[in-house]
């Protein structure tokens, strides 16, 4: 069970009301205190030209900071120290901007000799209700190893699951139930 992500997804869904996505101002971190250590907020600057979006780390949860050895707050996403994670983040963020829907992906953190699988969800935020200008991200360790059966390859690949596919995936269906 991925209880933290499910709870945060329900919160995001509630705050968007009938809009495509909520604004940052709609969210109160006190309401999702249970997830703050694993939450990041990413500012998105989408230039009018054909240039790629620029991502800036607005907030990086304390559990993430501890694992990577620094805060990286107010720094460009390109400075993130883990190349493999950075590649997956870029792919996920681009997909959220394209589909304008939440998205999930899997990966592994390596701590010492141990690999810990996790799920990361990315939810779009918009201050004007149309253009995505921030991303709410949260990671949760996968404790229920039965969810990983025949799924190990997806942790090294850059596979993403758009929101419309969550209900059909054993890993993500509990988020929408």
């Amino acid at each position: 069970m991925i209880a933290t992500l499910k709870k945060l997804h329900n919160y995001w869904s509630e705050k968007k009301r009938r809009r495509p996505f909520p604004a940052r101002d709609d969210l109160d971190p006190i309401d999702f205190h249970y997830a703050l250590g694993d939450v990041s907020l990413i500012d998105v600057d989408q230039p009018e030209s054909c240039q790629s979006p620029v991502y800036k780390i607005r907030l990086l949860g304390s559990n993430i900071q501890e694992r990577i050895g620094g805060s990286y707050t107010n720094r460009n996403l390109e400075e993130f120290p883990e190349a493999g994670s950075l590649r997956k983040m870029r792919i996920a963020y681009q997909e959220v901007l394209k589909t304008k829907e939440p998205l999930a992906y899997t990966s592994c953190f390596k701590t010492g000799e141990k690999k810990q699988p996790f799920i990361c969800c990315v939810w779009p935020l918009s201050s004007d209700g149309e253009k995505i200008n921030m991303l709410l991200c949260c990671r949760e360790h996968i404790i229920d190893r039965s969810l990983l059966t025949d799924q190990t390859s997806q942790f090294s690949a850059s596979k993403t699951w758009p929101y419309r596919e969550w209900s059909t995936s054993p890993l993500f269906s509990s988020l929408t139930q």
Side-chain angles (χ1 to χ4, degrees), residues 24 39-43 56-59 125 134-136:
R24 163 60 186 95
V39 162
S40 56
L41 285 173
I42 308 298
D43 286 323
K56 186 174 178 182
I57 301 167
R58 160 108 36 120
L59 169 84
L125 303 173
M134 187 174 282
L135 301 170
L136 170 65

Side-chain angles (χ1 to χ4, degrees), residues 2-176:
I2 40 184
T4 299
L5 293 177
K6 180 176 181 167
K7 210 168 161 182
L8 193 54
H9 177 70
N10 288 341
Y11 178 74
W12 177 88
S13 295
E14 173 189 310
K15 292 300 180 177
K16 75 177 186 146
R17 297 181 194 101
R18 293 176 186 231
R19 301 170 292 175
F21 13 77
R24 163 60 186 95
D25 289 346
D26 295 326
L27 309 180
D28 185 344
I30 292 172
D31 292 340
F32 53 95
H33 61 89
Y34 52 87
L36 286 178
D38 293 303
V39 162
S40 56
L41 285 173
I42 308 298
D43 286 323
V44 180
D45 180 20
Q46 297 185 65
E48 295 296 324
S49 65
C50 305
Q51 295 176 352
S52 297
V54 175
Y55 305 104
K56 186 174 178 182
I57 301 167
R58 160 108 36 120
L59 169 84
L60 204 56
S62 58
N63 295 339
I64 302 166
Q65 290 180 42
E66 183 179 323
R67 188 180 56 72
I68 64 171
S71 121
Y72 291 86
T73 299
N74 294 320
R75 293 171 74 176
N76 191 305
L77 184 69
E78 297 305 315
E79 297 177 53
F80 197 78
E82 297 176 330
S85 292
L86 178 59
R87 182 175 52 80
K88 288 182 178 191
M89 287 186 279
R90 272 195 235 114
I91 290 168
Y93 297 171
Q94 278 295 119
E95 189 68 18
V96 170
L97 294 179
K98 185 174 96 180
T99 65
K100 298 182 182 251
E101 292 184 339
L103 176 135
Y105 66 92
T106 56
S107 196
C108 282
F109 291 138
K110 189 171 182 181
T111 50
E113 296 299 313
K114 185 178 178 184
K115 281 189 170 185
Q116 175 65 51
F118 73 93
I119 294 174
C120 181
C121 290
V122 182
W123 295 274
L125 303 173
S126 172
S127 56
D128 68 5
E130 293 179 25
K131 187 174 182 181
I132 297 169
N133 61 349
M134 187 174 282
L135 301 170
L136 170 65
C137 310
C138 187
R139 295 142 186 88
E140 184 169 356
H141 293 271
I142 299 173
I143 296 169
D144 181 357
R145 297 288 179 155
S146 69
L147 292 172
L148 304 177
T149 307
D150 299 326
Q151 313 263 339
T152 52
S153 63
Q154 68 195 20
F155 287 91
S156 56
S158 292
K159 171 100 173 95
T160 60
W161 284 267
Y163 181 65
R164 64 187 171 279
E165 294 177 18
W166 285 8
S167 62
T168 61
S169 167
L171 277 173
F172 306 111
S173 61
S174 67
L175 289 172
T176 57

